Amino acid sequence: SSTIRNATAGHEQKYGYWESRIKIPRSKSFWGAFWLTGGSNANGFGEIDIFETVAEPFMIHQNIHNWSLDGVAHVADGTVALVPFDYAADFHVYGLLWTADEIVWYIDGKESKRALAPMVATFRDLCGPLHVLINLAIGGSWAGSPDGTTVWPGIMEIDYIKVWSV
């Protein structure tokens, strides 16, 4: 929600490297995410999804978004990383490098996505510092409602979260 996007939640920074080692559960209605949000300024706010998952084995979603302050104008650059492993079977390392000149995603130390130059420029010029959110949501328009196939409990295991400035 816009309340979360605009909230100040402890440490915020513009530019750096974010990394977490996570085992993500997979079941109908689970929506796992490791993301950066906030970045509010006079022009809008931003979000970088280091990863998002729904019940799709071998698929990791990586996105970047920028909205106008009224939430109406939205620019996005996203992709689905097809990975050679089932993300729910074991721990994997998810990372993001954000500098003035590039935004690059990593999975297990290998580059998995690079933002397009216009979006990098948008974030450099219009987005302020971001803070980390990591969550396992249940339900929603994308993940769907739980049903009889949903496996309970849903537990996202986090080994570590590290943040460096660059």
Side-chain angles (χ1 to χ4, degrees):
S1 76
S2 60
T3 303
I4 292 173
R5 289 188 186 110
N6 293 315
T8 299
H11 176 76
E12 295 182 311
Q13 74 181 46
K14 184 169 184 172
Y15 307 137
Y17 183 78
W18 292 260
E19 179 180 281
S20 187
R21 185 171 180 266
I22 305 171
K23 184 176 181 185
I24 311 163
R26 185 186 68 253
S27 190
K28 175 145 177 32
S29 85
F30 291 0
W31 184 345
F34 174 32
W35 50 306
L36 308 176
T37 190
S40 297
N41 62 28
N43 299 303
F45 54 91
E47 171 183 325
I48 303 174
D49 301 315
I50 300 171
F51 78 72
E52 288 185 290
T53 61
V54 290
E56 304 164 322
F58 312 106
M59 292 182 166
I60 302 292
H61 297 263
Q62 299 169 314
N63 309 293
I64 185 170
H65 306 272
N66 191 273
W67 285 271
S68 60
L69 281 179
D70 60 10
V72 175
H74 176 231
V75 179
D77 174 10
T79 193
V80 174
L82 298 175
V83 293
F85 56 80
D86 178 352
Y87 62 79
D90 203 354
F91 282 88
H92 294 279
V93 177
Y94 302 92
L96 178 92
L97 174 66
W98 176 25
T99 71
D101 300 318
E102 62 184 354
I103 301 173
V104 184
W105 288 255
Y106 298 89
I107 300 174
D108 292 334
K110 297 177 184 167
E111 184 176 322
S112 54
K113 175 182 172 46
R114 184 173 288 267
L116 300 174
M119 187 57 100
V120 173
T122 295
F123 261 66
R124 178 182 58 241
D125 299 340
L126 301 178
C127 190
L130 302 176
H131 59 268
V132 171
L133 284 175
I134 191 162
N135 64 279
L136 177 62
I138 306 297
S141 59
W142 187 25
S145 297
D147 64 18
T149 67
T150 304
V151 179
W152 301 104
I155 299 171
M156 184 158 58
E157 299 176 69
I158 303 166
D159 182 28
Y160 66 81
I161 300 171
K162 297 179 182 180
V163 180
W164 292 267
S165 60
V166 294

